[in-house]
Amino acid sequence: MLLTKNIRSFESDNVVCKSLIKEKYYDQLKWLLQNRFIKSFEVCPTFQLSSKEEHEFPFLYTADFKIINLNGSVDVIDLKSMEKDEFYRKKRELKERFSCTLSCITYDEKQKWINREKLSWWSCG
C-alpha cells in the first residue's frame, strides 16, 4: 500500500509534514544524517526554473527534500504517487542547471522506499 494520502499534519523538529510519507522520509533522513550516511539535507528547497514558453517568466519549483551526499553530489527528492510529463522537464533542467538529480520516491509496504521510475518499469515487465 502506498502512503500518499494527505492526512493530518505532523510536526517534528519544527518541520511540518502534511503527509505520512513526508514524515517517514524526514525521519529516514534524520537517521541517515545521525549515522553519517549523508552530509546534510534541506526540507522544501526552492529552485528557479525556466518556463516552457520564451515569453513567460521563470517559476519557482519547491521539492520535498534536497540531500547533500558525502561525496558532495546533490539529490532532490519529490514524494509523489505518480510522475507527470512536467516532472521529466524539471528533472532535465535540475540536472543541467544545478548539477543535481531529481527522483520521484514513494513508499510501498513490500518494497519500502522505491523510485517511481523503477516501480513503473517493474510493473510494465
Side-chain angles (χ1 to χ4, degrees), residues 16-45:
V16 176
C17 299
K18 296 188 179 190
S19 67
L20 185 55
I21 190 172
K22 191 168 182 177
E23 180 192 27
K24 285 180 83 63
Y25 203 79
Y26 177 76
D27 289 341
Q28 175 74 18
L29 290 175
K30 282 192 328 186
W31 184 88
L32 290 170
L33 183 63
Q34 289 169 351
N35 290 284
R36 298 185 179 149
F37 286 100
I38 60 174
K39 192 181 287 185
S40 65
F41 72 93
E42 183 181 331
V43 179
C44 297

Side-chain angles (χ1 to χ4, degrees), residues 114-125:
I114 188 166
N115 187 316
R116 288 292 304 179
E117 291 176 277
K118 290 180 183 172
L119 186 63
S120 299
W121 182 77
W122 285 340
S123 50
C124 291

Side-chain angles (χ1 to χ4, degrees), residues 25-76:
Y25 203 79
Y26 177 76
D27 289 341
Q28 175 74 18
L29 290 175
K30 282 192 328 186
W31 184 88
L32 290 170
L33 183 63
Q34 289 169 351
N35 290 284
R36 298 185 179 149
F37 286 100
I38 60 174
K39 192 181 287 185
S40 65
F41 72 93
E42 183 181 331
V43 179
C44 297
T46 303
F47 301 89
Q48 186 172 347
L49 302 180
S50 42
S51 63
K52 287 187 210 177
E53 303 298 324
E54 219 174 275
H55 61 279
E56 292 178 359
F57 290 107
F59 67 97
L60 291 178
Y61 164 63
T62 303
D64 290 310
F65 297 99
K66 176 180 168 184
I67 302 167
I68 310 298
N69 297 303
L70 295 176
N71 65 3
S73 65
V74 178
D75 295 324
V76 178

Side-chain angles (χ1 to χ4, degrees), residues 65-125:
F65 297 99
K66 176 180 168 184
I67 302 167
I68 310 298
N69 297 303
L70 295 176
N71 65 3
S73 65
V74 178
D75 295 324
V76 178
I77 304 297
D78 222 338
L79 301 170
K80 293 198 185 320
S81 58
M82 176 179 276
E83 312 94 23
K84 300 197 167 115
D85 291 339
E86 191 69 17
F87 171 81
Y88 295 105
R89 190 181 72 74
K90 290 174 188 174
K91 182 176 184 171
R92 189 172 40 257
E93 188 170 349
L94 282 170
K95 185 174 185 173
E96 290 170 3
R97 290 187 60 207
F98 300 99
S99 299
C100 57
T101 60
L102 174 61
S103 297
C104 187
I105 305 290
T106 195
Y107 186 84
D108 179 61
E109 290 294 333
K110 293 179 187 174
Q111 306 291 335
K112 301 299 179 195
W113 294 110
I114 188 166
N115 187 316
R116 288 292 304 179
E117 291 176 277
K118 290 180 183 172
L119 186 63
S120 299
W121 182 77
W122 285 340
S123 50
C124 291

